[in-house]
Amino acid sequence: MENRTNKRRLTAQSNPAAQRVAAEIERIAPQLSAVRRHLHQHPELSMAEFATTAYLARQLAAAKVPFRLGAGKRGIITAIAPAAETGAPVIALRGDIDALPITEENRISYRSKNIGVMHACGHDAHSTILLGTTLALHRVGRLRVGWRSIFQPAEEAGHGANDMVAQGAVNGVQAILAFHVDPNLPVGQVSITPGPQSAFCQDFTIEVRGRGGHGARPHNTIDPIAVAAQLITLVYQAVPRQTDARDPVVVTIGVIQGGHAANVIPDTVLLKGTIRSFDSDVSEQARRTIERLCAGTARAFRAKIAPVFDRLLRGVVNDARVTDICLQTARGLLGRNRVVTDRRPGLGAEDFADYLTAVPGCMMRLGVRSPRVKITPLHTATFNLDEQALLIGVRLFTEIILKWPVR
């Protein structure tokens, strides 16, 4: 690590812009943990990121960074910082700001103060890294390329990126970059891999409507709980048996809501679930199978079953050229042995994909695992991260902007 640190210092000394950025990063570094812990203590769910937006906006305003708020005062889009050269590309940097409906179980001084809401997916770290990067780049003036920052709401709801694109976040932008923290990688490592990174995702809701009655006389009812149980079993059996085994697909029912007393059969049961695959055709086939099973089960039990499917969220596919720029920069900054290039895509979903329908981009995985901090998987009540990763994220973001080819 000492050799790489010396190399960075020599590079900064030979490049005035890099030297100024390095100085700003050193000035900002002590603030990163405080910013992340403030955000961690005050998490907000998708569509309710008002205080988070206001906090980030105050930091930007104090540094005189020009920006505009997103629709409904949720999210922030900074003005494009013009490049030193006319016609140079503009690179967007994105960080998501929303949290999850999870009650935090970590025994830490900065645990969530909002009961039932937690930054269990690292968005507090993403926002902190983007804020640090924005302040460092803004304070050094014009660079070889232009850039802008996007503090995005509603990632967990699956439509925040699409909303920001509609609000002009990538207008005039030639590429977009993002990090996602990764508890499977140690601090100091990143994963930068071209091609598919995440799954196509389609969430759905199914209302099963029967006829309620006394629990002792089910023959006088149309029991929606029995109907729902049969439907779930059919879905779990039929989808994998009707899909080519070479095409991964997962259907999960994550919510079952119905009933209020042990001896009362309710009128309705509500199911909520998700479809994940790496191919839109496979997702569509799974959706049609679920619709067919709903119709058949409704007839068999004389119930009414109404499935409603959300918009299909595309999978993230890292652009080859953009990924290569990030990859070469990361190797120079961190060392070749600290950059993973062959990570297999996962069936998690990421609405960063919606930016990629407008501009090419790359999502990088940032290692946050450390023996110093208990690390559990994303979306768990005890998720945490080693804050040393924050500075690494800022350095890599800024280095990519500094090294981005103009032609």
Side-chain angles (χ1 to χ4, degrees), residues 1 10 24 38 47 62 109 130 155 173 187 215 310 328 345 360:
M1 283 297 288
L10 289 172
E24 289 299 334
H38 174 91
M47 309 301 295
S109 60
L130 183 56
E155 189 279 326
V173 168
V187 170
D310 293 347
Q328 299 308 323

Side-chain angles (χ1 to χ4, degrees), residues 208-211 218-224 227 267 294-305:
V208 180
R209 182 169 290 278
R211 184 176 66 245
H219 59 284
N220 291 330
T221 74
I222 298 175
D223 186 347
V227 176
D267 289 318
C294 286
T297 305
R299 286 194 298 271
F301 284 87
R302 296 178 294 116
K304 294 180 179 179
I305 303 179

Side-chain angles (χ1 to χ4, degrees), residues 126 187 210 248 286 337 360 369 386 407:
H126 302 166
V187 170
N337 64 332
R369 192 181 77 229
D386 190 324
R407 295 285 182 265

Side-chain angles (χ1 to χ4, degrees), residues 56-289:
L56 293 168
R58 287 195 298 272
Q59 312 308 310
L60 295 172
K64 296 183 170 53
V65 177
F67 67 89
R68 59 185 171 94
L69 297 180
K73 297 184 178 180
R74 296 168 38 255
I76 298 170
I77 304 169
T78 69
I80 290 176
E85 294 185 33
T86 303
V90 175
I91 314 304
L93 306 173
R94 173 266 209 173
D96 35 16
I97 68 175
D98 55 330
L100 287 160
I102 294 175
T103 297
E104 182 164 14
E105 295 178 5
N106 286 317
R107 301 300 176 185
I108 51 178
S109 60
Y110 52 93
R111 67 180 293 172
S112 171
K113 292 183 176 180
N114 297 340
I115 303 300
V117 185
M118 177 190 173
H119 272 298
C121 198
H123 295 190
D124 50 345
H126 302 166
S127 301
T128 300
I129 291 169
L130 183 56
L131 179 63
T133 301
T134 303
L135 297 179
L137 293 177
H138 173 72
R139 288 168 179 165
V140 301
R142 295 199 176 202
L143 302 170
R144 295 172 64 249
V145 299
W147 60 275
R148 91 163 353 146
S149 296
I150 303 169
F151 295 86
Q152 180 209 302
E155 189 279 326
E156 298 293 353
H159 57 76
N162 192 56
D163 294 345
M164 297 302 259
V165 170
Q167 294 171 45
V170 293
N171 291 354
V173 168
Q174 281 68 58
I176 186 166
L177 310 176
F179 283 120
H180 202 299
V181 298
D182 190 336
N184 296 308
L185 288 174
V187 170
Q189 286 191 11
V190 294
S191 171
I192 305 176
T193 306
Q197 299 300 300
S198 68
F200 285 76
C201 169
Q202 188 165 35
D203 292 345
F204 58 85
T205 301
I206 301 174
E207 183 184 65
V208 180
R209 182 169 290 278
R211 184 176 66 245
H214 200 293
R217 291 180 285 276
H219 59 284
N220 291 330
T221 74
I222 298 175
D223 186 347
I225 291 180
V227 176
Q230 181 64 30
L231 178 60
I232 293 171
T233 299
L234 288 172
V235 168
Y236 282 178
Q237 289 178 336
V239 171
R241 300 303 293 176
Q242 296 183 16
T243 304
D244 191 321
R246 295 169 295 182
D247 296 322
V249 62
V250 170
V251 177
T252 293
I253 305 296
V255 173
I256 305 175
Q257 294 176 340
H260 56 274
N263 63 344
V264 177
I265 293 172
D267 289 318
T268 62
V269 168
L270 192 69
L271 307 177
K272 294 183 180 182
T274 187
I275 303 170
R276 306 294 176 95
S277 76
F278 292 133
D279 185 279
S280 60
D281 290 340
V282 174
S283 293
E284 175 65 16
Q285 178 182 321
R287 183 183 67 80
R288 290 197 302 267
T289 298

